[in-house]
Amino acid sequence: MSHIPGVEFRPLTIPASVDDTDAADFREFTRVRNLVYREMSGNDDDAKTPAELLPHYQSDVDEIRHAWAVVADGVFIGRAGVDIPLEEGSRTAFWLIELLASHHGRGIGSAAYELIEQTARTHGRTVLQSWAEHRDAPGPRLEAPTGFGSIPTDHAARFFLRHGYTLEQINRQSALDLTTADETVATLLAEAKRAAEGYRVVQWNLPTPAEYVEGYAWMKSRMSTDAPNADLEVDEEVWDADRVARHDAKYIAAGQTVLVTAAVHEATGGLVAFNELVRGGDPGSASHQEDTLVLREHRGHKLGQLVKCAGLTRWRATEAPASPKVITYNAEENRPMLDINEAIGFVPVVYEGAWKKVLS
């Protein structure tokens, strides 16, 4: 669907393997994805190989993923996509449009958005949500309705506003220099252990060991309800052993190293807090801190600090000693987690806006 001469939104072919004869589009899709992120950030911290990305695009019983390569005069210039969660009663769809900067201002993004909204309506979805990076710049700004943070009214912000979106939340991307953090992490880990009497740390690499599957599934389900989401609409997710297995299999198939660090409540034996660290196949690549959560009823015992610092300690020692940095994202109003991150040494890099539109 395109009203722009020479521009095509080509449904992405998902090959069984990146080496298959039908994998050329997926490989080029990945290359241009990485170029767009390099343009936005000036680095390759978010780069993935086709083999790392492919498992996350395979068919999934938990969501429907639509993806298109944006092609101009036969050349890939970006991508568009919309994810349809399959939680019972879900009204939401999540989407992205990413174009090389040299093709901004041609109406391609708006044409892609028309396709996204049409797809969401086809699936009966009425709440559309998306995230975009907003690099700091002088000039007019938009304040988050949460009262935490602001972003410049830049190219991306103007696009969202023009298409009827409201800014709901600001997320902070932070980075930790792993080469200088060891002493601070050790000090904070000792402090957390003293405060976390009655709790102990357990750690594992994926796949999740059988004895932790139930507790990990429950904590993953709580990410959708207990993390700060402002006025975004987030479906309550149901996680069980099968969903944990599907989750784990994607990362394993992608050749990614994943360390889960959890806190056990000794009185009950239950898992009550966790942190995830991930890196790709290149040992020298940037690491990513993914989900971190302390169950509500166990907050106030420095468990967030405990699992983060215990995870970083093992990460440096055995899992990713050559990784130079860790990237993480937090809602700007999530002061408890930001306090921990800042104490560890994470520094702000860039801010993301979370945008929402309710279809009539």
Side-chain angles (χ1 to χ4, degrees):
M1 176 189 204
S2 170
H3 310 300
I4 303 167
V7 174
E8 168 194 4
F9 300 111
R10 183 184 301 172
L12 184 65
T13 298
I14 309 300
S17 161
V18 295
D19 298 318
D20 285 0
T21 55
D22 63 349
D25 275 6
F26 192 85
R27 292 194 297 266
E28 182 65 3
F29 176 92
T30 306
R31 188 186 73 83
V32 173
R33 168 202 179 273
N34 293 341
L35 283 178
V36 170
Y37 286 148
R38 184 187 298 164
E39 282 189 346
M40 290 194 294
S41 65
N43 59 52
D44 291 320
D45 290 348
D46 286 309
K48 292 191 187 304
T49 66
E52 288 170 343
L53 194 63
L54 180 58
H56 299 280
Y57 275 81
Q58 300 289 5
S59 61
D60 188 334
V61 301
D62 302 307
E63 68 177 1
I64 299 167
R65 170 161 280 188
H66 295 276
W68 300 268
V70 184
V71 183
D73 299 318
V75 177
F76 281 45
I77 63 165
R79 64 176 185 154
V82 57
D83 294 341
I84 309 293
L86 296 178
E87 310 300 332
E88 186 175 351
S90 176
R91 304 190 307 155
T92 61
F94 301 92
W95 61 270
L96 61 79
I97 298 169
E98 294 170 352
L99 301 173
L100 292 169
S102 57
H103 294 274
H104 290 178
R106 298 176 55 191
I108 297 172
S110 291
Y113 180 72
E114 187 179 338
L115 175 59
I116 281 166
E117 193 164 298
Q118 179 188 80
T119 304
R121 289 182 185 277
T122 298
H123 287 281
R125 302 311 166 100
T126 55
V127 180
L128 275 63
Q129 296 170 143
S130 187
W131 285 258
E133 189 174 288
H134 302 272
R135 301 216 144 251
D136 205 17
R141 301 186 71 82
L142 286 169
E143 301 286 333
T146 60
F148 292 86
S150 66
I151 56 168
T153 309
D154 57 10
H155 170 82
R158 293 192 298 272
F159 181 90
F160 282 105
L161 294 170
R162 193 163 62 246
H163 290 281
Y165 280 75
T166 55
L167 177 67
E168 299 294 346
Q169 186 181 51
I170 292 173
N171 293 325
R172 179 192 300 188
Q173 184 201 101
S174 305
L176 173 68
D177 182 347
L178 285 171
T179 66
T180 61
D182 291 352
E183 185 176 340
T184 300
V185 169
T187 299
L188 292 173
L189 178 57
E191 176 186 280
K193 285 180 175 177
R194 289 192 296 271
E197 187 177 348
Y199 299 88
R200 61 183 170 85
V201 169
V202 294
Q203 295 176 296
W204 66 87
N205 294 104
L206 302 187
T208 305
E211 63 265 36
Y212 301 133
V213 166
E214 183 179 355
Y216 187 44
W218 174 246
M219 292 189 299
K220 292 290 278 186
S221 74
R222 293 302 86 198
M223 281 299 300
S224 61
T225 60
D226 291 10
N229 288 310
D231 200 31
L232 297 168
E233 185 159 324
V234 179
D235 302 323
E236 182 171 355
E237 294 181 352
V238 178
W239 283 69
D240 57 14
D242 288 343
R243 188 161 185 171
V244 169
R246 293 193 297 273
H247 163 274
D248 293 0
K250 287 181 184 178
Y251 286 90
I252 293 166
Q256 293 172 296
T257 297
V258 182
L259 173 67
V260 182
T261 300
V264 177
H265 183 225
E266 292 182 317
T268 61
L271 299 182
V272 298
F274 78 108
N275 169 257
E276 299 166 337
L277 287 165
V278 181
R279 72 163 172 84
D282 177 0
S285 62
S287 303
H288 292 264
Q289 185 171 260
E290 297 200 349
D291 289 348
T292 301
L293 184 73
V294 179
L295 297 182
R296 291 180 188 275
E297 56 272 30
H298 291 274
R299 292 175 182 173
H301 303 282
K302 291 192 180 294
L303 296 182
Q305 183 172 318
L306 179 71
V307 295
K308 282 176 182 275
C309 291
L312 287 167
T313 300
R314 176 164 154 180
W315 197 246
R316 286 281 290 157
T318 63
E319 308 295 335
S323 181
K325 68 175 87 168
V326 177
I327 309 296
T328 192
Y329 293 84
N330 300 93
E332 191 65 3
E333 68 269 28
N334 191 354
R335 190 28 67 183
M337 283 297 177
L338 287 174
D339 284 345
I340 298 167
N341 287 347
E342 289 166 0
I344 290 170
F346 281 90
V347 295
V349 176
V350 73
Y351 293 87
E352 277 189 345
W355 297 85
K356 172 182 166 184
K357 178 180 181 179
V358 179
L359 300 179
S360 56

PDB file of all heavy atoms in Angstrom, residues 141-151 161 165-171 229-232 332-333 352-356:
ATOM      1  N   ARG A 141       9.215  22.236  23.819  1.00  0.00           N
ATOM      2  CA  ARG A 141       9.286  20.916  24.448  1.00  0.00           C
ATOM      3  C   ARG A 141       7.878  20.456  24.835  1.00  0.00           C
ATOM      4  O   ARG A 141       6.955  21.271  24.987  1.00  0.00           O
ATOM      5  CB  ARG A 141      10.165  20.940  25.705  1.00  0.00           C
ATOM      6  CG  ARG A 141      11.584  21.390  25.428  1.00  0.00           C
ATOM      7  CD  ARG A 141      12.473  21.262  26.651  1.00  0.00           C
ATOM      8  NE  ARG A 141      12.765  19.871  26.988  1.00  0.00           N
ATOM      9  CZ  ARG A 141      13.721  19.163  26.392  1.00  0.00           C
ATOM     10  NH1 ARG A 141      14.462  19.692  25.426  1.00  0.00           N
ATOM     11  NH2 ARG A 141      13.949  17.905  26.757  1.00  0.00           N
ATOM     12  N   LEU A 142       7.748  19.156  25.005  1.00  0.00           N
ATOM     13  CA  LEU A 142       6.517  18.537  25.497  1.00  0.00           C
ATOM     14  C   LEU A 142       6.798  17.945  26.864  1.00  0.00           C
ATOM     15  O   LEU A 142       7.769  17.197  27.031  1.00  0.00           O
ATOM     16  CB  LEU A 142       6.060  17.426  24.552  1.00  0.00           C
ATOM     17  CG  LEU A 142       5.436  17.837  23.227  1.00  0.00           C
ATOM     18  CD1 LEU A 142       5.298  16.598  22.340  1.00  0.00           C
ATOM     19  CD2 LEU A 142       4.076  18.474  23.443  1.00  0.00           C
ATOM     20  N   GLU A 143       5.946  18.246  27.824  1.00  0.00           N
ATOM     21  CA  GLU A 143       6.075  17.690  29.177  1.00  0.00           C
ATOM     22  C   GLU A 143       5.284  16.393  29.264  1.00  0.00           C
ATOM     23  O   GLU A 143       4.177  16.280  28.718  1.00  0.00           O
ATOM     24  CB  GLU A 143       5.529  18.674  30.214  1.00  0.00           C
ATOM     25  CG  GLU A 143       6.217  20.030  30.218  1.00  0.00           C
ATOM     26  CD  GLU A 143       7.597  19.986  30.832  1.00  0.00           C
ATOM     27  OE1 GLU A 143       7.840  19.096  31.689  1.00  0.00           O
ATOM     28  OE2 GLU A 143       8.439  20.838  30.456  1.00  0.00           O
ATOM     29  N   ALA A 144       5.852  15.404  29.955  1.00  0.00           N
ATOM     30  CA  ALA A 144       5.119  14.158  30.175  1.00  0.00           C
ATOM     31  C   ALA A 144       3.977  14.400  31.151  1.00  0.00           C
ATOM     32  O   ALA A 144       4.147  15.101  32.148  1.00  0.00           O
ATOM     33  CB  ALA A 144       6.052  13.091  30.733  1.00  0.00           C
ATOM     34  N   PRO A 145       2.799  13.839  30.903  1.00  0.00           N
ATOM     35  CA  PRO A 145       1.670  14.019  31.828  1.00  0.00           C
ATOM     36  C   PRO A 145       1.930  13.385  33.199  1.00  0.00           C
ATOM     37  O   PRO A 145       1.242  13.702  34.163  1.00  0.00           O
ATOM     38  CB  PRO A 145       0.498  13.334  31.104  1.00  0.00           C
ATOM     39  CG  PRO A 145       1.115  12.429  30.109  1.00  0.00           C
ATOM     40  CD  PRO A 145       2.420  13.052  29.721  1.00  0.00           C
ATOM     41  N   THR A 146       2.916  12.509  33.303  1.00  0.00           N
ATOM     42  CA  THR A 146       3.284  11.934  34.601  1.00  0.00           C
ATOM     43  C   THR A 146       3.940  12.959  35.509  1.00  0.00           C
ATOM     44  O   THR A 146       4.052  12.740  36.722  1.00  0.00           O
ATOM     45  CB  THR A 146       4.280  10.785  34.405  1.00  0.00           C
ATOM     46  OG1 THR A 146       5.458  11.292  33.755  1.00  0.00           O
ATOM     47  CG2 THR A 146       3.678   9.665  33.571  1.00  0.00           C
ATOM     48  N   GLY A 147       4.407  14.082  34.908  1.00  0.00           N
ATOM     49  CA  GLY A 147       5.153  15.069  35.678  1.00  0.00           C
ATOM     50  C   GLY A 147       6.644  14.789  35.725  1.00  0.00           C
ATOM     51  O   GLY A 147       7.391  15.525  36.375  1.00  0.00           O
ATOM     52  N   PHE A 148       7.086  13.761  35.010  1.00  0.00           N
ATOM     53  CA  PHE A 148       8.497  13.378  35.034  1.00  0.00           C
ATOM     54  C   PHE A 148       9.069  13.440  33.627  1.00  0.00           C
ATOM     55  O   PHE A 148       8.800  12.569  32.799  1.00  0.00           O
ATOM     56  CB  PHE A 148       8.664  11.966  35.608  1.00  0.00           C
ATOM     57  CG  PHE A 148       8.336  11.858  37.066  1.00  0.00           C
ATOM     58  CD1 PHE A 148       7.030  11.641  37.471  1.00  0.00           C
ATOM     59  CD2 PHE A 148       9.331  11.992  38.028  1.00  0.00           C
ATOM     60  CE1 PHE A 148       6.714  11.550  38.821  1.00  0.00           C
ATOM     61  CE2 PHE A 148       9.024  11.907  39.377  1.00  0.00           C
ATOM     62  CZ  PHE A 148       7.715  11.690  39.782  1.00  0.00           C
ATOM     63  N   GLY A 149       9.852  14.497  33.368  1.00  0.00           N
ATOM     64  CA  GLY A 149      10.588  14.572  32.127  1.00  0.00           C
ATOM     65  C   GLY A 149       9.881  15.332  31.018  1.00  0.00           C
ATOM     66  O   GLY A 149       8.670  15.594  31.074  1.00  0.00           O
ATOM     67  N   SER A 150      10.675  15.684  30.002  1.00  0.00           N
ATOM     68  CA  SER A 150      10.151  16.360  28.820  1.00  0.00           C
ATOM     69  C   SER A 150      11.021  15.963  27.632  1.00  0.00           C
ATOM     70  O   SER A 150      12.149  15.487  27.799  1.00  0.00           O
ATOM     71  CB  SER A 150      10.164  17.881  28.999  1.00  0.00           C
ATOM     72  OG  SER A 150      11.502  18.368  29.089  1.00  0.00           O
ATOM     73  N   ILE A 151      10.484  16.183  26.437  1.00  0.00           N
ATOM     74  CA  ILE A 151      11.212  15.890  25.203  1.00  0.00           C
ATOM     75  C   ILE A 151      11.069  17.075  24.255  1.00  0.00           C
ATOM     76  O   ILE A 151      10.118  17.847  24.350  1.00  0.00           O
ATOM     77  CB  ILE A 151      10.673  14.618  24.503  1.00  0.00           C
ATOM     78  CG1 ILE A 151       9.171  14.749  24.231  1.00  0.00           C
ATOM     79  CG2 ILE A 151      10.985  13.368  25.319  1.00  0.00           C
ATOM     80  CD1 ILE A 151       8.615  13.686  23.311  1.00  0.00           C
ATOM     81  N   LEU A 161       2.071  13.737  16.858  1.00  0.00           N
ATOM     82  CA  LEU A 161       1.019  14.723  17.104  1.00  0.00           C
ATOM     83  C   LEU A 161       0.143  14.897  15.868  1.00  0.00           C
ATOM     84  O   LEU A 161      -1.091  14.993  15.973  1.00  0.00           O
ATOM     85  CB  LEU A 161       1.646  16.063  17.509  1.00  0.00           C
ATOM     86  CG  LEU A 161       2.377  16.056  18.858  1.00  0.00           C
ATOM     87  CD1 LEU A 161       3.152  17.358  19.035  1.00  0.00           C
ATOM     88  CD2 LEU A 161       1.391  15.860  20.006  1.00  0.00           C
ATOM     89  N   TYR A 165      -1.775  11.393  18.179  1.00  0.00           N
ATOM     90  CA  TYR A 165      -1.243  10.710  19.359  1.00  0.00           C
ATOM     91  C   TYR A 165      -1.012  11.685  20.508  1.00  0.00           C
ATOM     92  O   TYR A 165      -0.806  12.886  20.292  1.00  0.00           O
ATOM     93  CB  TYR A 165       0.072   9.992  19.027  1.00  0.00           C
ATOM     94  CG  TYR A 165      -0.181   8.665  18.343  1.00  0.00           C
ATOM     95  CD1 TYR A 165      -0.587   8.625  17.010  1.00  0.00           C
ATOM     96  CD2 TYR A 165      -0.064   7.472  19.031  1.00  0.00           C
ATOM     97  CE1 TYR A 165      -0.853   7.423  16.374  1.00  0.00           C
ATOM     98  CE2 TYR A 165      -0.330   6.256  18.411  1.00  0.00           C
ATOM     99  CZ  TYR A 165      -0.724   6.241  17.096  1.00  0.00           C
ATOM    100  OH  TYR A 165      -0.995   5.044  16.493  1.00  0.00           O
ATOM    101  N   THR A 166      -1.026  11.149  21.718  1.00  0.00           N
ATOM    102  CA  THR A 166      -0.669  11.925  22.901  1.00  0.00           C
ATOM    103  C   THR A 166       0.549  11.284  23.560  1.00  0.00           C
ATOM    104  O   THR A 166       0.686  10.051  23.594  1.00  0.00           O
ATOM    105  CB  THR A 166      -1.818  11.985  23.920  1.00  0.00           C
ATOM    106  OG1 THR A 166      -2.223  10.649  24.251  1.00  0.00           O
ATOM    107  CG2 THR A 166      -3.010  12.735  23.353  1.00  0.00           C
ATOM    108  N   LEU A 167       1.424  12.133  24.082  1.00  0.00           N
ATOM    109  CA  LEU A 167       2.576  11.664  24.847  1.00  0.00           C
ATOM    110  C   LEU A 167       2.089  11.209  26.218  1.00  0.00           C
ATOM    111  O   LEU A 167       1.414  11.967  26.916  1.00  0.00           O
ATOM    112  CB  LEU A 167       3.597  12.787  24.989  1.00  0.00           C
ATOM    113  CG  LEU A 167       4.833  12.472  25.838  1.00  0.00           C
ATOM    114  CD1 LEU A 167       5.698  11.418  25.166  1.00  0.00           C
ATOM    115  CD2 LEU A 167       5.640  13.759  26.086  1.00  0.00           C
ATOM    116  N   GLU A 168       2.404   9.979  26.604  1.00  0.00           N
ATOM    117  CA  GLU A 168       1.922   9.434  27.869  1.00  0.00           C
ATOM    118  C   GLU A 168       3.019   9.270  28.919  1.00  0.00           C
ATOM    119  O   GLU A 168       2.748   9.357  30.113  1.00  0.00           O
ATOM    120  CB  GLU A 168       1.266   8.055  27.636  1.00  0.00           C
ATOM    121  CG  GLU A 168       0.060   8.081  26.720  1.00  0.00           C
ATOM    122  CD  GLU A 168      -1.125   8.837  27.298  1.00  0.00           C
ATOM    123  OE1 GLU A 168      -1.122   9.126  28.518  1.00  0.00           O
ATOM    124  OE2 GLU A 168      -2.047   9.164  26.521  1.00  0.00           O
ATOM    125  N   GLN A 169       4.254   9.014  28.476  1.00  0.00           N
ATOM    126  CA  GLN A 169       5.302   8.664  29.423  1.00  0.00           C
ATOM    127  C   GLN A 169       6.656   8.888  28.755  1.00  0.00           C
ATOM    128  O   GLN A 169       6.762   8.826  27.530  1.00  0.00           O
ATOM    129  CB  GLN A 169       5.168   7.183  29.834  1.00  0.00           C
ATOM    130  CG  GLN A 169       6.108   6.708  30.935  1.00  0.00           C
ATOM    131  CD  GLN A 169       5.905   5.230  31.235  1.00  0.00           C
ATOM    132  OE1 GLN A 169       5.909   4.401  30.324  1.00  0.00           O
ATOM    133  NE2 GLN A 169       5.707   4.881  32.494  1.00  0.00           N
ATOM    134  N   ILE A 170       7.667   9.134  29.578  1.00  0.00           N
ATOM    135  CA  ILE A 170       9.028   9.240  29.065  1.00  0.00           C
ATOM    136  C   ILE A 170       9.881   8.172  29.736  1.00  0.00           C
ATOM    137  O   ILE A 170       9.845   7.993  30.958  1.00  0.00           O
ATOM    138  CB  ILE A 170       9.605  10.650  29.304  1.00  0.00           C
ATOM    139  CG1 ILE A 170       8.857  11.651  28.421  1.00  0.00           C
ATOM    140  CG2 ILE A 170      11.101  10.687  29.016  1.00  0.00           C
ATOM    141  CD1 ILE A 170       9.216  13.085  28.670  1.00  0.00           C
ATOM    142  N   ASN A 171      10.613   7.444  28.899  1.00  0.00           N
ATOM    143  CA  ASN A 171      11.555   6.435  29.392  1.00  0.00           C
ATOM    144  C   ASN A 171      12.979   6.944  29.207  1.00  0.00           C
ATOM    145  O   ASN A 171      13.291   7.591  28.207  1.00  0.00           O
ATOM    146  CB  ASN A 171      11.397   5.118  28.622  1.00  0.00           C
ATOM    147  CG  ASN A 171      10.072   4.452  28.900  1.00  0.00           C
ATOM    148  OD1 ASN A 171       9.556   4.520  30.005  1.00  0.00           O
ATOM    149  ND2 ASN A 171       9.510   3.804  27.893  1.00  0.00           N
ATOM    150  N   ASN A 229       3.354   2.246  34.226  1.00  0.00           N
ATOM    151  CA  ASN A 229       2.930   2.331  32.828  1.00  0.00           C
ATOM    152  C   ASN A 229       2.149   3.599  32.499  1.00  0.00           C
ATOM    153  O   ASN A 229       1.562   3.697  31.418  1.00  0.00           O
ATOM    154  CB  ASN A 229       2.081   1.104  32.470  1.00  0.00           C
ATOM    155  CG  ASN A 229       2.915  -0.165  32.369  1.00  0.00           C
ATOM    156  OD1 ASN A 229       3.939  -0.185  31.695  1.00  0.00           O
ATOM    157  ND2 ASN A 229       2.502  -1.214  33.069  1.00  0.00           N
ATOM    158  N   ALA A 230       2.140   4.561  33.453  1.00  0.00           N
ATOM    159  CA  ALA A 230       1.413   5.815  33.238  1.00  0.00           C
ATOM    160  C   ALA A 230      -0.008   5.509  32.764  1.00  0.00           C
ATOM    161  O   ALA A 230      -0.672   4.649  33.335  1.00  0.00           O
ATOM    162  CB  ALA A 230       2.176   6.702  32.254  1.00  0.00           C
ATOM    163  N   ASP A 231      -0.457   6.177  31.671  1.00  0.00           N
ATOM    164  CA  ASP A 231      -1.800   5.921  31.159  1.00  0.00           C
ATOM    165  C   ASP A 231      -1.758   5.057  29.894  1.00  0.00           C
ATOM    166  O   ASP A 231      -2.705   5.042  29.117  1.00  0.00           O
ATOM    167  CB  ASP A 231      -2.526   7.243  30.866  1.00  0.00           C
ATOM    168  CG  ASP A 231      -4.046   7.062  30.805  1.00  0.00           C
ATOM    169  OD1 ASP A 231      -4.563   6.172  31.513  1.00  0.00           O
ATOM    170  OD2 ASP A 231      -4.707   7.798  30.041  1.00  0.00           O
ATOM    171  N   LEU A 232      -0.653   4.341  29.716  1.00  0.00           N
ATOM    172  CA  LEU A 232      -0.592   3.379  28.627  1.00  0.00           C
ATOM    173  C   LEU A 232      -1.485   2.191  28.964  1.00  0.00           C
ATOM    174  O   LEU A 232      -1.709   1.886  30.139  1.00  0.00           O
ATOM    175  CB  LEU A 232       0.845   2.900  28.419  1.00  0.00           C
ATOM    176  CG  LEU A 232       1.850   3.973  27.989  1.00  0.00           C
ATOM    177  CD1 LEU A 232       3.256   3.442  28.105  1.00  0.00           C
ATOM    178  CD2 LEU A 232       1.563   4.456  26.577  1.00  0.00           C
ATOM    179  N   GLU A 332      10.702   7.286  33.506  1.00  0.00           N
ATOM    180  CA  GLU A 332      11.327   8.405  34.201  1.00  0.00           C
ATOM    181  C   GLU A 332      10.729   8.610  35.602  1.00  0.00           C
ATOM    182  O   GLU A 332      11.405   9.148  36.488  1.00  0.00           O
ATOM    183  CB  GLU A 332      11.183   9.677  33.347  1.00  0.00           C
ATOM    184  CG  GLU A 332      11.995  10.857  33.809  1.00  0.00           C
ATOM    185  CD  GLU A 332      13.514  10.668  33.741  1.00  0.00           C
ATOM    186  OE1 GLU A 332      14.004   9.620  33.280  1.00  0.00           O
ATOM    187  OE2 GLU A 332      14.220  11.596  34.161  1.00  0.00           O
ATOM    188  N   GLU A 333       9.509   8.148  35.817  1.00  0.00           N
ATOM    189  CA  GLU A 333       8.908   8.261  37.160  1.00  0.00           C
ATOM    190  C   GLU A 333       9.249   7.084  38.065  1.00  0.00           C
ATOM    191  O   GLU A 333       8.857   7.072  39.244  1.00  0.00           O
ATOM    192  CB  GLU A 333       7.384   8.413  37.065  1.00  0.00           C
ATOM    193  CG  GLU A 333       6.627   7.206  36.557  1.00  0.00           C
ATOM    194  CD  GLU A 333       6.420   7.202  35.054  1.00  0.00           C
ATOM    195  OE1 GLU A 333       7.259   7.795  34.329  1.00  0.00           O
ATOM    196  OE2 GLU A 333       5.430   6.613  34.598  1.00  0.00           O
ATOM    197  N   GLU A 352      13.121   8.343  25.566  1.00  0.00           N
ATOM    198  CA  GLU A 352      12.096   7.833  24.655  1.00  0.00           C
ATOM    199  C   GLU A 352      10.736   8.369  25.076  1.00  0.00           C
ATOM    200  O   GLU A 352      10.420   8.416  26.273  1.00  0.00           O
ATOM    201  CB  GLU A 352      12.006   6.306  24.755  1.00  0.00           C
ATOM    202  CG  GLU A 352      12.985   5.536  23.951  1.00  0.00           C
ATOM    203  CD  GLU A 352      12.649   4.061  23.968  1.00  0.00           C
ATOM    204  OE1 GLU A 352      11.840   3.616  24.807  1.00  0.00           O
ATOM    205  OE2 GLU A 352      13.185   3.344  23.123  1.00  0.00           O
ATOM    206  N   GLY A 353       9.938   8.732  24.098  1.00  0.00           N
ATOM    207  CA  GLY A 353       8.540   9.040  24.363  1.00  0.00           C
ATOM    208  C   GLY A 353       7.680   7.818  24.111  1.00  0.00           C
ATOM    209  O   GLY A 353       7.901   7.087  23.145  1.00  0.00           O
ATOM    210  N   ALA A 354       6.714   7.599  24.998  1.00  0.00           N
ATOM    211  CA  ALA A 354       5.711   6.549  24.798  1.00  0.00           C
ATOM    212  C   ALA A 354       4.427   7.244  24.370  1.00  0.00           C
ATOM    213  O   ALA A 354       3.908   8.112  25.089  1.00  0.00           O
ATOM    214  CB  ALA A 354       5.495   5.758  26.090  1.00  0.00           C
ATOM    215  N   TRP A 355       3.891   6.852  23.213  1.00  0.00           N
ATOM    216  CA  TRP A 355       2.791   7.553  22.564  1.00  0.00           C
ATOM    217  C   TRP A 355       1.586   6.648  22.422  1.00  0.00           C
ATOM    218  O   TRP A 355       1.737   5.444  22.197  1.00  0.00           O
ATOM    219  CB  TRP A 355       3.242   8.041  21.188  1.00  0.00           C
ATOM    220  CG  TRP A 355       4.360   9.025  21.233  1.00  0.00           C
ATOM    221  CD1 TRP A 355       5.699   8.766  21.304  1.00  0.00           C
ATOM    222  CD2 TRP A 355       4.244  10.451  21.214  1.00  0.00           C
ATOM    223  NE1 TRP A 355       6.422   9.923  21.318  1.00  0.00           N
ATOM    224  CE2 TRP A 355       5.558  10.980  21.265  1.00  0.00           C
ATOM    225  CE3 TRP A 355       3.156  11.337  21.146  1.00  0.00           C
ATOM    226  CZ2 TRP A 355       5.802  12.355  21.246  1.00  0.00           C
ATOM    227  CZ3 TRP A 355       3.408  12.697  21.135  1.00  0.00           C
ATOM    228  CH2 TRP A 355       4.714  13.202  21.184  1.00  0.00           C
ATOM    229  N   LYS A 356       0.390   7.245  22.493  1.00  0.00           N
ATOM    230  CA  LYS A 356      -0.839   6.442  22.480  1.00  0.00           C
ATOM    231  C   LYS A 356      -1.932   7.175  21.695  1.00  0.00           C
ATOM    232  O   LYS A 356      -2.054   8.407  21.779  1.00  0.00           O
ATOM    233  CB  LYS A 356      -1.307   6.221  23.927  1.00  0.00           C
ATOM    234  CG  LYS A 356      -2.668   5.566  24.083  1.00  0.00           C
ATOM    235  CD  LYS A 356      -2.996   5.471  25.580  1.00  0.00           C
ATOM    236  CE  LYS A 356      -4.440   5.142  25.848  1.00  0.00           C
ATOM    237  NZ  LYS A 356      -4.732   5.163  27.299  1.00  0.00           N
TER     238      LYS A 356
END
